[in-house]
Every structure is written in C-alpha cells, then in structure tokens.
C-alpha cells in the first residue's frame, strides 16, 4: 500500500487502528495535540466488553499484554441510597466478563505496541483542507477534492495524506470534511473528583465505595447521582452528574477547587457525609465534563480518502460503551484497509457499512436514561434477568 495513513488523535481508537495497520505491514502516523504521553492525567476505569473492546484487542494481538492490566475485584458493584443505605451489593466472584482496567494503563500498552515515532506529540490541528477541489474544514460533505488532504498544525507544520482518519473526539477537526453536524448539549454535566489514599485518609468514604464500582442516588430524584470507582493504590474517582443548563456550570469558578467543590456538594446537601466527601475532600480541583451527543443516526455520504472513528463519528453520553466501540472502530478500519490495500475507497466503504449501525446501537444504549427507581429495580431484582 502506497497511500500514507494519517490518524488524528492518539486516543484508544486511533492507537488500535495504528496497531492493526502495523500488524499488516501498513505504516501510519498518529498526530496528537497533547505535548507528551504524560501531559495530563489519563484517569478513569474502563470495563472492557467481550462484544467489542476485547475483540479489538484480539485484532491488535494484545490480549496477553492486556491481561496483566486487569485489576482484580473491580467488577464488584454497590448501589447506595443518598443516606448511605446499601440497596444492592455484589462481590466480584471472578465470573464477570467485563474486566476493569485503568484507561491510562491501557493507552500506554497500545502506545508501546507501536514503532517508535509512530505517535507525533504536540501536533494540534488548526485546519484540514481537501486538495484539488478547494474544500476546507468549513465543508460538510462538500469541497471534495482528489482524495488528498492537507493537515495544518499549530506548530507550523503541515502534512499531506491520501488517507485521513479523524480519531480526535467530540470536537473533531476532521468531521467537517464529512458532515456539518455538531454535538449538542444534553442538559447534564459530570463533575469529576479524585480522592488519594482513601483507605487511610477517608476510610468511611472508602468503605462506602467498596471494592469496585459505587452507584449512589436518590430514589425520589432523577438526573442526579454519583458513580465512583476504586482505582489502583487506594484512589477513588467519582463522577457526580447534575442536570443544569450549561450557564449554571459556567457560572461556577472551577479554578477554585475548594469553593466549587463546596458549591457542587451543596447540590447534594442532604446526602450522607461519606458520599459528599467524594466532592469536597479531594486534593485536586474538580473537573467539569459537559455531556454532548451526536444524533443517533449520524452518518455521511462517502467522501474519498477520509473517515472517522470513535466519538468523532458517534458521540454518546457515558454508558461504558464509548471506549469499547472506539477500539472496535479502529480495529475494523485497520482490517478493512489491510483487506483492500490497493482500493482505499472499497476499504472505507466496507468499514462505514459496519460503522453506522454500530454507532446507532451505541447511541441507543446511551439514550436510555432510566429514572432512579428503574435503576434501583434493575439492581435489586425487579428488572434483572440474571
């Protein structure tokens, strides 16, 4: 294959794509805006599912490397009411099929599976232009050139490619070449907080979270809950969801960790102190993560030489599927290119035939926003089938 492959974004989907291409002897370069692999905390636990994430790792020939990353016991689950009452609890008995790993460790494994120099750090995209047709990234299926693209970076460099892949997330700079659709705010945001050395410094909160995942909610109120995970080394990471307009969150000063932690905690004023400590006891300032989605049916007409993977293609609210589906996107695109190395358009058309229904399925799963009572019923038996 003579066509250079340019991947924008060194997230999980882009790295899996580069790895699968590498296995098939196809060179690719991954451009990432972050200055280095350690430029920011990678954070978060991921449960890697059999139906997508684990299939992607098999395609990348990294299953053996993946197994040591799995944190034992983390498939344990607790459901608590706002007053700390345990509504449901299940230990990790070793029979679960969605092992938990830390995102940063998974990303490092994928990065280290590539040849040195494959990922180019400190390359923030400032523009993408279709060559031969006068199009640029203000298009949207229009401005189609000859299947080649020029990517411009903030550091002054440019790259011309005949196969461009946008793996650059919700606010993709590549997507406008294919679609005019932009993400919309769903009316909820997540505030992420982290507690270090929780077993020693915050034992009551550590006990409340338990060995794996905690879900805490108010049976009478929907749109407000906690999801907390136990990470390696006694770290607890919490995601507090609140339903407010964006303006409400923008009015909070997230640079003042103590003040904003107290303000967010005030939204949970009648909750148990061991739960609200997840918001107020962290050493680092809380991080705001507004939730956006693309339409469930988001798709585009085939445009020569360019496609998308992961959130750039099908952005949904968090439900455990996003990272898994992004990895499978990368694996499937890599396999399609390897199967048709001399016919890029056939490869991209083949990939997108699977991509679009996969995105619809992921969006449908995320769109189901159960009430607090439905969540409780599911865990405690009324809605369970296992």
């Amino acid at each position: 294959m003579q066509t250079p492959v340019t991947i924008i974004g060194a997230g999980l989907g882009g790295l899996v794509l580069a790895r699968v291409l590498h296995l098939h002897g196809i060179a690719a370069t991954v451009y990432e805006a972050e200055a280095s692999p350690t430029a920011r905390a990678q954070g978060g636990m991921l449960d890697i599912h059999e139906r997508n994430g684990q299939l992607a790792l098999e395609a990348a020939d990294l299953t053996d490397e993946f197994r040591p990353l799995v944190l034992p016991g983390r498939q344990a689950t607790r459901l608590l009411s706002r007053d700390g009452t345990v509504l449901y609890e299940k230990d990790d008995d070793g029979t679960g099929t969605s092992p938990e790993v830390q995102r940063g460790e998974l990303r490092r494994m994928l990065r280290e599976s590539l040849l040195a120099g494959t990922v180019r750090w400190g390359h923030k995209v400032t523009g993408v232009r279709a060559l031969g047709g006068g199009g640029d990234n203000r298009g949207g299926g229009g401005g189609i050139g000859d299947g080649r693209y020029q990517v411009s970076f903030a550091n002054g460099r440019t790259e011309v490619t005949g196969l461009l892949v946008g793996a650059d997330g919700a606010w993709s700079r590549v997507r406008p070449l294919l679609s005019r659709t932009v993400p919309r705010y769903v009316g909820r945001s997540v505030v992420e907080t982290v507690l270090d050395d929780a077993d020693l410094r915050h034992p009551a909160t550590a006990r409340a979270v338990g060995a794996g995942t905690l879900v805490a909610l108010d049976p009478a109120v929907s749109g407000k809950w906690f999801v907390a995970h136990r990470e390696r080394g006694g770290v607890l990471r919490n995601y507090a969801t609140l339903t407010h307009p964006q303006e409400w969150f923008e009015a909070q000063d997230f640079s003042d960790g103590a003040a904003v932690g107290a303000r967010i905690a005030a939204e949970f004023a009648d909750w148990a102190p061991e739960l609200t400590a997840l918001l107020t006891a962290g050493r680092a300032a809380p991080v705001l993560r507004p939730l956006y989605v693309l339409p469930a049916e988001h798709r585009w007409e085939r445009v020569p030489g360019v496609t998308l993977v992961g959130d750039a293609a099908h952005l949904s609210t968090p439900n455990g599927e996003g990272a898994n589906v992004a990895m499978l996107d990368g694996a499937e695109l890599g396999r399609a290119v390897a199967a048709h190395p001399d016919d890029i358009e056939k490869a991209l058309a083949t990939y997108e035939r699977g991509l679009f229904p996969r995105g619809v399925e992921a969006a449908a799963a995320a769109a189901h926003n159960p009430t607090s009572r439905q969540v409780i019923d599911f865990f405690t038996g009324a809605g369970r089938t296992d």
Side-chain angles (χ1 to χ4, degrees):
M1 176 177 170
Q2 300 300 314
T3 301
V5 181
T6 298
I7 303 167
I8 306 300
L12 299 178
L15 292 175
V16 168
L17 170 59
R19 168 66 179 179
V20 173
L21 291 173
H22 167 70
L23 291 177
H24 291 278
I26 300 172
T29 303
V30 183
Y31 292 97
E32 170 56 49
E34 294 175 6
S36 74
T38 59
R40 65 176 178 87
Q42 298 303 306
M45 295 287 290
L46 295 174
D47 51 333
I48 306 303
H49 302 162
E50 285 185 310
R51 62 185 175 273
N52 38 42
Q54 292 181 42
L55 294 178
L57 293 173
E58 290 176 12
D61 194 24
L62 290 172
T63 300
D64 289 344
E65 289 80 358
F66 166 73
R67 290 193 182 104
L69 304 184
V70 174
L71 296 182
R74 297 315 197 276
Q75 293 184 72
T77 305
R78 305 191 88 206
L79 177 66
L80 269 61
S81 182
R82 70 181 187 184
D83 62 1
T85 300
V86 177
L87 302 175
Y88 172 81
E89 187 165 18
K90 182 179 180 181
D91 293 334
D92 182 352
D93 60 5
T95 63
T97 60
S98 298
E100 298 269 357
V101 300
Q102 294 191 198
R103 179 186 291 268
E105 295 181 0
L106 182 62
R107 190 186 187 207
R108 184 181 67 245
M109 179 199 76
L110 290 167
R111 188 180 71 244
E112 292 177 350
S113 75
L114 302 173
L115 295 175
T118 299
V119 181
R120 309 284 177 85
W121 302 95
H123 282 71
K124 181 179 181 180
V125 175
T126 57
V128 182
R129 183 169 67 91
L131 299 178
D136 61 19
N137 64 354
R138 293 183 297 275
I144 298 174
D146 60 9
R148 294 181 304 124
Y149 300 89
Q150 178 178 286
V151 184
S152 300
F153 301 98
N155 58 17
R157 298 181 180 178
T158 60
E159 173 76 6
V160 174
T161 181
L163 177 48
L164 177 63
V165 181
D168 48 344
W171 304 105
S172 172
R173 298 302 297 265
V174 178
R175 188 195 300 122
L177 291 169
L178 298 162
S179 167
R180 296 183 183 276
T181 305
V182 296
R184 66 170 180 84
Y185 180 62
V186 301
R188 303 190 306 278
S189 291
V190 169
V191 178
E192 179 182 348
T193 54
V194 178
L195 269 61
D196 298 317
D197 301 321
D199 294 298
L200 295 176
R201 301 180 65 242
H202 311 287
T205 300
R207 287 193 298 272
V209 172
T213 296
L214 161 73
V215 178
L217 46 71
D218 184 341
V221 177
S222 295
K224 183 166 70 174
W225 62 84
F226 286 175
V227 177
H229 302 279
R230 178 178 288 272
E231 299 183 358
R232 198 184 300 278
V235 172
L236 303 180
R237 187 176 303 271
N238 179 53
Y239 303 92
T241 297
L242 286 170
T243 300
H244 284 304
Q246 284 183 281
E247 293 76 14
W248 187 92
F249 292 99
E250 291 168 355
Q252 315 307 320
D253 182 5
F254 275 81
S255 67
D256 186 340
V260 77
R263 180 65 189 89
I264 300 300
E267 296 290 301
F268 300 87
D270 54 353
W271 287 44
E274 63 268 26
L275 296 177
T276 55
L278 288 163
L279 294 170
T280 59
R283 297 180 182 178
V287 177
L288 176 64
R289 302 197 183 282
L291 300 182
Y292 295 87
V293 297
L294 287 167
E297 299 287 342
H298 182 238
R299 60 179 59 215
W300 51 87
E301 298 298 323
R302 176 90 292 282
V303 175
V306 59
T307 194
L308 307 172
V309 304
D311 285 351
H314 44 70
L315 177 66
S316 302
T317 53
N319 69 333
E321 286 290 298
N324 284 277
V325 175
M327 289 194 293
L328 186 58
D329 287 349
E332 291 297 292
L333 177 55
R335 289 197 283 206
V337 172
H340 308 286
D342 299 319
D343 190 342
I344 293 303
E345 285 312 296
K346 184 174 182 179
L348 297 185
T350 299
Y351 162 68
E352 289 177 356
R353 278 198 298 272
L355 170 71
F356 295 140
R358 189 161 54 245
V360 169
E361 181 180 356
H368 177 57
N369 185 26
T371 65
S372 295
R373 177 50 57 188
Q374 288 173 324
V375 172
I376 293 170
D377 288 346
F378 173 81
F379 278 105
T380 58
R384 297 182 67 86
T385 58
D386 59 351

